[in-house]
Amino acid sequence: MNEPYDIITTIRLTEKATILAEKDNKYVFQVRPHATKTQIRRAIETLYKKTVVSVNTANYAGKKKRERTAAFGQQADWKKAIVTLKKGDKIELA
Amino acid sequence: MNVVVENLPNCITTLRIELEPEKVNKAWEAVTADYTRYAKLPGYRPGKAPKAVIEKKFKKQIREELEKKLLSDSCREAISEKKLRVLSLAQIDDVELADDKTMKFTATLVTHPDFELPTYKGLTVEMKSTDVTEAEIDESLENLREQAADFTNITEERGAAMDDYVVVDYTGTIEGKPVHEAFPKAGKPLSGNEDFWIRMTPEAFFPGYAAALVGAKPGETRTFVIDVPEEFPVAGMGGQKIQYVVKLKEIKMKVLPMLDDAFADTVAKGKTLAELRTMAREELARQKKTDAEASKRSAIMTQILEKVECELPVDMVRTQTRRILADIVRENQERGIDDEVLKENEQQILGKASEGAREQLKGTFVLLRIAEAEGIQVTKLEFSHRINQLSQRYQMKPAKLLKELEKRNAIDQITEEILTAKTLEFLASNATVADAPVETPAAE
C-alpha cells in the first residue's frame, strides 16, 4: 500500500497548477488521503528522480452529489500535495 | 523545399517532396495556436492551457490539420516550381513527420501528356464549295413536296401493284403458334397487326411479302408462307417459315402537291413560290457554310493530330470511353435497336468508343497546349456568356447553375470547353483554304 504509485493518484493539470510550476517550481499532485508528507516526498523522488525541497498538503472532503432521485452520494475525499522541487529540477507537465 | 520528380508511364508523375523543419515548425505553431485559443480542457479556461498540454492532448488532430494545410500547399508550390502541367492530384502517401519536424511525402499526379507541338499555323485545308446550285434547290423543294404528300385511295378497279401503299390486317404464325410466342424475342408486330401500312417494295416487311399481295383487291384475304432470311437478327429464326393471313383493306397511292404559289403558302404562310426558292437557297447556303466550317475544323484537327504521338492518362481514357459508350448505346436504343444486337457487337462498339475517346482527349490536350503557347485565355465575359447559354438550355437561374456546377467540380471543364473552342477558332482563322475537288469531300 505504501508503494509510490499507491501514494500519488495523479498530477493535477489546472491553470493554477501550471502557474505554480512555471513561477515557483511547485508541482501539484492528487495523493491518497492518508499519505504523509514524508511518503509523498519519497514517492516523488522515486517516481520522477527529482529532489524535493518541501511538501505542503491539504485535505479536501468529497463533494456531496445527488441524482434527481433521493439517492444521495458522495465523491471520495482526497488530499492535495504541493511539492516544491529543487531549483533547476523540472517535471514535464502534460 | 526539396522536390524530386519522377515520370512514370501513362502520364503519371510522382513528386517526392521534403519540407524544411522551419516551414513545418511554423505551420505546426500556427495550428497549435489555433487549438490553444479554442480548446476546452478540464482545469483550464479556454485559451489558458499551456502549449505542451494542448500538443499532447490534440497531437493527432494537430497533425492531421498540419498535413491538410502543408501537403496541398506544398504540392501546388512544387508543381509551379517544376512547371508541371497537372490534370489532377491522384493521391498523397508515405507521409512522414519526423521528430525534428522534417516532413516527407510522395504525391502522385496525373499530368498532361508530353509531346512536341507540330506546326499549327498556316495549315492548308480543303474546303467544299458553299455555292448553292439550282439542282440542289430543286431537290430540297422536291423533299418538301414529298413531306407534304397526300395518300388517297385508288379510284380505278384494280388489284394492288408494286409501289402502291396498302393497308392490311394480318396474323403471322409458325406451326400454328403466333410468332412472338414461338420466338419471344421476335416482337409482337411479327405476329399480327391491324391497319398496318406497307409500301409495296420487294423487301418490305419480309422479302416476298409484298409480292404475295400483288393483284389482291380491297376486302380480299390471302394466305401465304414466308421464308425468314438466314441473316434475320433474332437468333434461331433464320430459315423458319411463317404463315401469314393478310386481309387487304385499302390500296393507296401517293399524291404529291403541285409546285406552285399555293403550295408555297402552305409551307411558309404568305410566301410565293419564288420567295420559297429564295428561302431554300438561303437555308442551303447556311447549311453548307456550317458544314464547311465544321469540316474545315475537323480537317485542321486531323492534320495536327496525325503529327502528334503521345501517351494518354488511362483513367481519363476510361472515363471518356464510358461516356461515349453510353451515348452510342442510348442512340441505338432510341433508334429501336435491340439490346441483344448491341451485346453481340460489344467488342466492335467498345473499340470504336475507345478510339473515339483517345482522339477526343488527344485533341483537347493539343488545343490546350496551343492555347498556352499562344496565350489564349478565357475572359470573364466569355465565361458568363457561356453560363447564360447553359442556364437557358437547362432553364435554371445562372446563379443556381453556377452553384450546381461548382458542386460537381465542372467549372474547369466549362472553361476548358470555351478555351478549346476558342483555340480551334484561332486555328481556323490561321489556316489557308484550298477548294476541294468537286467529287471528293474534304478530309474528315
Side-chain angles (χ1 to χ4, degrees), chain B residues 383-392 398 401-402 405 414:
Chain B
F383 183 75
S384 50
H385 187 68
R386 177 83 184 139
I387 291 290
N388 261 336
Q389 273 179 352
L390 288 176
S391 68
Q392 274 168 18
L401 178 75
L402 210 58
L405 290 173
I414 288 184

Side-chain angles (χ1 to χ4, degrees), chain B residues 28 101 120 135 158 225 281 384 415 435:
Chain B
W28 179 277
K101 295 272 161 62
Y120 53 85
R158 66 166 175 86
V225 174
R281 177 189 297 278
S384 50
T415 321
D435 281 337

Side-chain angles (χ1 to χ4, degrees), chain B residues 80-131:
Chain B
S80 67
E81 189 187 304
K82 296 284 173 190
K83 295 202 173 55
L84 297 173
R85 296 187 187 87
V86 177
L87 282 170
S88 63
L89 179 59
Q91 60 185 31
I92 290 181
D93 35 29
D94 302 341
V95 183
E96 287 169 31
L97 181 60
D99 287 340
D100 65 344
K101 295 272 161 62
T102 47
M103 197 173 191
K104 286 181 198 165
F105 64 93
T106 314
T108 314
L109 311 168
V110 182
T111 52
H112 282 231
D114 201 25
F115 54 86
E116 286 281 320
L117 259 187
T119 333
Y120 53 85
K121 271 192 205 170
L123 297 175
T124 312
V125 284
E126 290 180 343
M127 216 166 147
K128 272 190 278 188
S129 146
T130 53
D131 296 338

